[in-house]
Amino acid sequence: MPTAILTGQPVPGSSIEGDLRALGFEVRPATDAAHAETLLARVPEEDRVAVVDARFVGHVHALRLALTDPRFTLAAIPGAVSARAAGRQALTRAMARENSAEGGNGAPGAGDGTAVVVDGLADRITAALDADGAEVHRPALGSLVAAVPADPQSRNEARQAVAAVDEEAVRLKSAVKSGDGLFTTYCISPYSRYIARWCARRGLTPNQVTTASLLTALIAAGCAATGTRGGFVAAGVLLIASFVLDCTDGQLARYSLQYSTLGAWLDATFDRAKEFAFYAGLALGATHGGTDDVWALALGAMVLQTTRHMVDFAFIEAQQDADATSAAAPTAALSERLDGVGWSVWVRRVIILPIGERWAMIALLTALTTPRVTFCALLAWMAFATLYTTAGRVLRSVTRKARRTDRAAQALADLADDGPVVQLLVRLVPATGPRVAPLAAALGTAAVLLAAWSWGPSWWVVLLAGLYTLCAAEAVSRPLTGPLDWLVPPLFRAGEYGTVLLLAAESGVNGVLPAAFGLVAAVAYHHYDTVYRIRGNAGAPPAWLVRATGGHEGRTLLVTVLAALLTAPQFEVALTALAVAVAVLVLAESIRFWVAAHQGGAPAVHDEGETA
């Protein structure tokens, strides 16, 4: 159970003890600083602990933000500081130093001989943590009040300030993610936040809401698979309902600060599972409702969407650790100026087809038109959005003089998903000549895709897949630190997924495309899982998994060989078996890893999600 150590003289009429108990803390009053240090030592190491000034006046939600958010090791607001287990040693050292500095009272030394005068033990500890270089999170309070008044008049003023703010309205507003798209902001969030509050008051967790969203989307996919107009209408309605729940789970997490490592993973992976399952449902519905086979379009939508996401992920990983002294790109400056024009922000958010707009379009077209029209419209808009975002990021990269860090280069290497063949070639053939990573990756990808499109299943495609492998080895033969090296992972995704799509489409057997859809879905899950591990600072999947699944070049070579060697019905069976094998491997390892991380007390992560 978390413990709050209440320090300082109690204030008559103060609600601080009741507020702390309402937040789930066991309250232990300390008579002086030395007593507070003794109480701290008695708190079990694995429990969260907070030091709070008894004179604190403020909103309960301000305390909640500082004392209960599981994402941060150390957090503080005026009059309160808290630490998770990982920050206990830093808190203990800071408190001990405060007590020894001047006999447990007065101002501490800042570590450089300069006195820092702050009121109250909690604030002195926070100042000591800062002086020690500890990373102390300070939540943005906005209009919320958090103060430690020094006299009755200021206390009365602080209480009046508390009464003047509608705390619940602020809490509801902060539950909505900033940066959402137009549809989500104006058509979903105005009421989904109240659903989130309803869930919180009934003890529901974000993971339960996330699961409900997945089940709703799967039912929607099942309705679409019926191929009837009534089924398509029901599918569209249920898809929107699933999206409402998808927004609600994140808002519930922010409203009640129920963040978790497992929850972040479920939210991210279920989004992809819902969308791709709905694509499959539409493709099945088109087949059941007539003779229209749109599996190629469904697979194309999945390939384009996953490749586009990899552009986003790789660019972000390449940029976030760039040298801080690097000059800002002119394109970034232009973007900041455009942000000052309100309508331009919304236009640009709509152009990139974020998840809200995308699901709304899919739902509406599913209910009113045919699966073919739905997929054609989706592919056209996604292609434009991909070109728009990629072109902007290329311009930003070439105009910004930045040096990539080793961490960013390693993240890009992990996202590349090189298998044993590429790794062997890199070891055997030393890198020489100029750095041409994106050019080599683009050349290999273009070669194998053109071959698959021109010749279909043939040994010529196998030969060009070998060239793709050689180009991939050249691309990753040096650390990916160049300005455009973030293009390498998405180019590999396009090469592998596109080859599977084209060979399946050219096979001439209806069942091959659904089998290819399953294979790409399993491999895409592996690549998304890699992204989420990197974002959670957990590193890449284990090397044995990359070797067992062959890497992008190994799978591409295998698929081209199978297509050339087998008949179309045999190719269908082989793709199905490969899809099942990859899915079992990556799902088993992914579930094991994330459940173990959650049970092991890994720092909570709350990924705000992809806007697209």
Side-chain angles (χ1 to χ4, degrees), residues 456-459 462 503 557-568 570-571 574:
S458 72
W459 290 104
V462 177
L503 292 178
L557 284 168
L558 178 59
V559 169
T560 57
V561 169
L562 291 174
L565 191 63
L566 304 176
T567 64
Q570 292 172 335
F571 186 44

Side-chain angles (χ1 to χ4, degrees), residues 540-576:
W544 71 261
L545 181 65
V546 177
R547 290 193 297 268
T549 55
H552 68 95
E553 84 289 349
R555 291 185 297 268
T556 303
L557 284 168
L558 178 59
V559 169
T560 57
V561 169
L562 291 174
L565 191 63
L566 304 176
T567 64
Q570 292 172 335
F571 186 44
E572 175 187 347
V573 174
L575 285 183
T576 302

Side-chain angles (χ1 to χ4, degrees), residues 275-284 286-287 293-308 371-372 374-376 378-379 382 449 452 493-507 509-525 528 559 571 575-576 579:
E275 190 164 2
F276 296 157
F278 196 81
Y279 292 171
L282 276 178
L284 286 170
T287 303
D293 189 344
V294 296
W295 275 106
L297 296 177
L299 180 51
M302 182 164 64
V303 169
L304 185 55
Q305 179 66 12
T306 306
T307 303
R308 183 263 179 90
R372 179 170 292 275
T374 301
F375 281 124
C376 286
L378 180 62
L379 283 165
M382 281 202 302
L449 291 180
R493 300 296 84 78
E496 179 185 359
Y497 300 163
T499 300
V500 175
L501 166 60
L502 291 170
L503 292 178
E506 294 290 334
S507 67
V509 173
N510 290 338
V512 176
L513 277 166
F517 188 97
L519 174 59
V520 172
V523 175
Y525 177 87
Y528 278 112
V559 169
F571 186 44
L575 285 183
T576 302

Side-chain angles (χ1 to χ4, degrees), residues 39-63:
L39 292 175
L40 176 62
R42 293 175 181 172
V43 177
E45 287 291 332
E46 66 274 10
D47 287 355
R48 175 184 285 273
V49 64
V51 179
V52 183
D53 197 310
R55 299 170 297 166
F56 177 87
V57 175
H59 291 99
V60 176
H61 192 53
L63 284 172

Side-chain angles (χ1 to χ4, degrees), residues 261 317 407 530-539 593-594 602-603 605 607:
T261 299
E317 287 301 324
R407 180 201 173 280
T530 302
V531 168
Y532 302 138
R533 291 186 191 223
I534 293 173
R535 283 187 166 184
N537 294 318
F593 170 80
W594 289 105
V605 175
D607 189 348

Side-chain angles (χ1 to χ4, degrees), residues 241-487:
S242 174
F243 183 65
V244 171
L245 292 173
D246 184 50
C247 294
T248 299
D249 64 3
Q251 292 165 357
L252 175 58
R254 296 181 206 95
Y255 181 85
S256 55
L257 301 185
Q258 296 185 71
Y259 302 116
S260 70
T261 299
L262 184 63
W265 170 67
L266 289 176
D267 185 43
T269 54
F270 281 8
D271 278 352
R272 305 285 76 80
K274 289 180 286 189
E275 190 164 2
F276 296 157
F278 196 81
Y279 292 171
L282 276 178
L284 286 170
T287 303
H288 291 170
T291 59
D292 194 14
D293 189 344
V294 296
W295 275 106
L297 296 177
L299 180 51
M302 182 164 64
V303 169
L304 185 55
Q305 179 66 12
T306 306
T307 303
R308 183 263 179 90
H309 270 151
M310 193 55 61
V311 169
D312 297 340
F313 297 145
F315 178 78
I316 291 171
E317 287 301 324
Q319 294 297 321
Q320 67 178 2
D321 276 349
D323 188 344
T325 63
S326 303
T331 49
L334 175 61
S335 178
E336 291 177 0
R337 287 198 297 271
L338 287 175
D339 285 341
V341 183
W343 61 267
S344 72
V345 175
W346 293 117
V347 169
R348 284 182 292 151
R349 288 183 186 176
V350 170
I351 285 175
I352 66 172
L353 192 60
I355 187 170
E357 275 73 3
R358 188 168 68 252
W359 283 29
M361 183 185 73
I362 294 172
L364 182 63
L365 293 179
T366 296
L368 300 180
T369 65
T370 65
R372 179 170 292 275
V373 171
T374 301
F375 281 124
C376 286
L378 180 62
L379 283 165
W381 197 343
M382 281 202 302
F384 176 74
T386 302
L387 289 173
Y388 173 82
T389 56
T390 304
R393 286 169 176 173
V394 167
L395 285 173
R396 182 173 295 190
S397 297
V398 298
T399 56
R400 182 182 186 218
K401 304 301 181 182
R403 292 191 300 273
R404 305 283 179 260
T405 64
D406 292 340
R407 180 201 173 280
Q410 184 59 52
L412 292 178
D414 293 337
L415 290 174
D417 190 32
D418 300 312
V421 178
V422 162
Q423 293 170 6
L424 178 62
L425 288 173
V426 170
R427 288 197 297 269
L428 293 178
V429 182
T432 59
R435 178 188 298 275
V436 290
L439 181 61
L443 175 63
T445 295
V448 72
L449 291 180
L450 285 172
W453 179 63
S454 301
W455 295 308
S458 72
W459 290 104
W460 286 108
V461 181
V462 177
L463 180 63
L464 271 295
L467 175 61
Y468 168 81
T469 302
L470 291 173
C471 290
E474 171 60 30
V476 300
S477 60
R478 300 176 180 85
L480 297 175
T481 57
L484 292 178
D485 286 0
W486 56 269
L487 284 168

